[in-house]
Amino acid sequence: MIRKLQPDEAPPMDLLLLVDPSRKLIESYLKRAECFVMEDQSGIVGTYVLLPTRPDTIELVNLAVQENFQNKGIGKQLISHALQVAREQGFKLIEVGTGNSSIAQLAFYQKCGFRITGVDRNFFTEHYEEELMENGIPCRDMIRLSKVLNHKTL
């Protein structure tokens, strides 16, 4: 079951930190965003955060699945739910950003119909105190992807 996190509930920070190592940035965007969680009988297994950025555009700023639940289709279910919520709220475009070194995430988003639209050069070196490494590659740039929300399918 996927549901919106209620204002009196603490966000699943352990999950959010899996994909964004900056607690400060997470706390900043959570104030302006909606957080959704996927639960099973054991508790929260996945989460995503939607942040309106422009009149017709919303950004998926965080999508995380507990490590022992990864590669089981949960991420795709969360994306599908996020697309549905964004459409219901009247947005025409959804964006997402991921690190240049996030090879699996880049493939995942493209499989879900997102297209690369740009690069925020030096985003991670300017916004994160510690150097980030992934897949043996320094994470410096944010790869921006987007998807037009005019179809009901992924």
Side-chain angles (χ1 to χ4, degrees):
M1 175 182 96
I2 302 173
R3 65 176 180 82
K4 185 176 171 184
L5 198 68
Q6 296 305 305
D8 61 336
E9 290 181 277
M13 196 58 75
D14 56 332
L15 268 178
L16 296 168
L17 285 164
L18 278 179
V19 295
D20 187 342
S22 172
R23 181 178 290 271
K24 188 163 78 171
L25 281 178
I26 292 170
E27 289 171 349
S28 172
Y29 60 66
L30 279 176
K31 292 175 186 169
R32 301 170 287 133
E34 291 181 303
C35 183
F36 294 82
V37 293
M38 176 185 261
E39 297 172 306
D40 73 0
Q41 62 278 7
S42 67
I44 295 174
V45 298
T47 187
Y48 73 87
V49 178
L50 287 176
L51 175 67
T53 55
R54 293 186 299 281
D56 291 328
T57 305
I58 195 163
E59 184 173 352
L60 178 66
V61 291
N62 196 310
L63 177 115
V65 176
Q66 276 190 27
E67 290 174 354
N68 54 329
F69 285 89
Q70 291 177 4
N71 299 309
K72 298 178 193 282
I74 290 173
K76 194 164 187 176
Q77 289 177 53
L78 290 168
I79 287 276
S80 181
H81 191 269
L83 296 175
Q84 177 185 338
V85 168
R87 278 189 202 95
E88 288 171 358
Q89 293 182 3
F91 291 97
K92 293 180 174 48
L93 187 73
I94 186 167
E95 296 179 326
V96 67
T98 194
N100 62 282
S101 55
S102 302
I103 307 303
Q105 290 85 339
L106 282 167
F108 171 73
Y109 289 124
Q110 290 178 85
K111 287 177 186 176
C112 291
F114 286 80
R115 307 256 331 254
I116 295 173
T117 55
V119 178
D120 288 351
R121 293 183 58 79
N122 298 315
F123 178 88
F124 293 99
T125 54
E126 291 174 3
H127 292 92
Y128 291 81
E129 294 175 14
E130 296 176 22
E131 181 183 37
L132 304 174
M133 289 286 287
E134 206 174 10
N135 299 307
I137 304 167
C139 184
R140 296 184 181 115
D141 306 319
M142 180 180 288
I143 308 300
R144 307 289 303 167
L145 302 97
S146 68
K147 179 174 175 58
V148 175
L149 294 169
N150 62 354
H151 301 293
K152 296 215 178 214
T153 61
L154 278 178

